[in-house]
Amino acid sequence: MATNLSDLNAFLAVARAGGFRDGARLLGASPSGVSEAVRRLEAGLGVRLLHRTTRSVVPTEAGARLLERLGPALGEVEAALDVVNGFRDRPAGTLRLNVPVSAARLVLPRIVPPFLATYPEIQLEVTAEDSFVDLLSAGCDAGIRYDERLEQDMIAVPIGPRVQRYALAAAPDYLRRHGRPAHPRDLLGHACLRGRFSSGTVMAWEFERGGELVRVEPKGPLLVGIGAATDLAVEAAVAGTGILYLFEAWLQPYFERGALEPILEPWWQAFSGPFLYYSGRRLVPAPLRAFIDFIRGLPP
């Protein structure tokens, strides 16, 4: 049975997006055209690939099996076709990155504009989320993660600041009303604004000074999803709701204008900066190779 590659791409987009309208948007096509492509694929295969309801579109068991194998396979097809890019004067095509929200906010803004100015024929697609993903099955060329979160069999390239710190902060009004902690353990008596990873794990707060490591799990009135809802916690801290533990670079603008004050700064723990990572098992597409070379040429 001959299967149209565009029909496979349509199924892949719809399954990933969870709907025909969003899948069509990813492809730059019409929903009706994408729907027809999926129907054509199902008719040719003789099996239903998607459960369709008025609220959602989800893969059937057969569709899930196909999706699992199709993402990496189409990625290899794209990489093979991208070899032709090597014969162009300038690399072109689409570069898809999966990054944590913190990297989208703190690392990429200083990199993306000059990169796109240097390579105007490259289109960059960035998905920001803080859950673990399989790059190939998600259709991404590369991701950004911190070293302890790198996947196996991946090649890692440093990107962004090589040393970062977690900072502790509160609004001046909160500190006037509740006092300033003198030791990390004092946080157990304060209202703290905490974050929870997509896995469900609530982030512990870690501190270090003179070789002494302190790990605390304070309580507080607000718990937010790390990444998507972090700005809510920041605004709550500015409003005087409690104490916040977050990337120093994220909080720096608030320190500079006096909306937040640093707390226990000698205890702030440093950690290594993020890495761009990508699979070593496939050809490196020309847009990704250009991006790698670009970040390697940036000043530290």
Side-chain angles (χ1 to χ4, degrees), residues 242-281:
I243 297 176
L244 182 66
Y245 179 80
L246 190 59
F247 290 99
E248 179 184 8
W250 198 314
L251 297 178
Q252 190 59 43
Y254 298 89
F255 292 151
E256 291 174 355
R257 65 174 184 257
L260 293 173
E261 292 185 10
I263 303 172
L264 297 175
E265 186 168 358
W267 287 91
W268 292 358
Q269 188 176 51
F271 56 96
S272 62
F275 292 83
L276 178 81
Y277 72 106
Y278 57 97
S279 174
R281 302 190 302 271

Side-chain angles (χ1 to χ4, degrees), residues 3 34 143 199 233:
T3 300
V34 170
S199 64

Side-chain angles (χ1 to χ4, degrees), residues 233-244:
V234 174
E235 293 306 318
V238 170
T241 305
I243 297 176
L244 182 66

Side-chain angles (χ1 to χ4, degrees), residues 22 141 205:
D22 289 339
D141 300 296
W205 294 6

Side-chain angles (χ1 to χ4, degrees), residues 90-91 95 108-124 290-291 294 298:
R90 299 172 64 82
L95 171 60
L108 291 182
R110 106 189 226 299
I111 296 174
V112 167
F115 171 74
L116 294 178
T118 303
Y119 298 100
E121 295 181 55
I122 292 178
Q123 179 182 8
L124 181 62
F291 189 70
F294 185 82
L298 293 174

Side-chain angles (χ1 to χ4, degrees), residues 66-98:
L66 178 61
L67 182 64
E68 181 181 343
R69 301 292 296 272
L70 191 59
L74 288 180
E76 289 298 323
V77 171
E78 288 184 1
L81 293 174
D82 192 68
V83 171
V84 178
N85 249 332
F87 295 91
R88 299 172 57 97
D89 293 333
R90 299 172 64 82
T94 301
L95 171 60
R96 300 178 179 91
L97 301 180
N98 182 283

Side-chain angles (χ1 to χ4, degrees), residues 9 12 16 26 67 70-76 78-79 94-100 123-129 131-145 151 154 276-285 287-288:
N9 268 317
L12 190 66
R16 285 174 174 167
L26 289 175
L67 182 64
L70 191 59
L74 288 180
E76 289 298 323
E78 288 184 1
T94 301
L95 171 60
R96 300 178 179 91
L97 301 180
N98 182 283
V99 309
Q123 179 182 8
L124 181 62
E125 295 182 8
V126 178
T127 300
E129 58 184 344
S131 58
F132 295 98
V133 298
D134 182 294
L135 287 178
L136 296 183
S137 62
C140 295
D141 300 296
I144 295 178
R145 288 294 182 266
E151 300 175 8
M154 291 287 172
L276 178 81
Y277 72 106
Y278 57 97
S279 174
R281 302 190 302 271
R282 56 171 288 189
L283 294 171
V284 178
L288 176 56

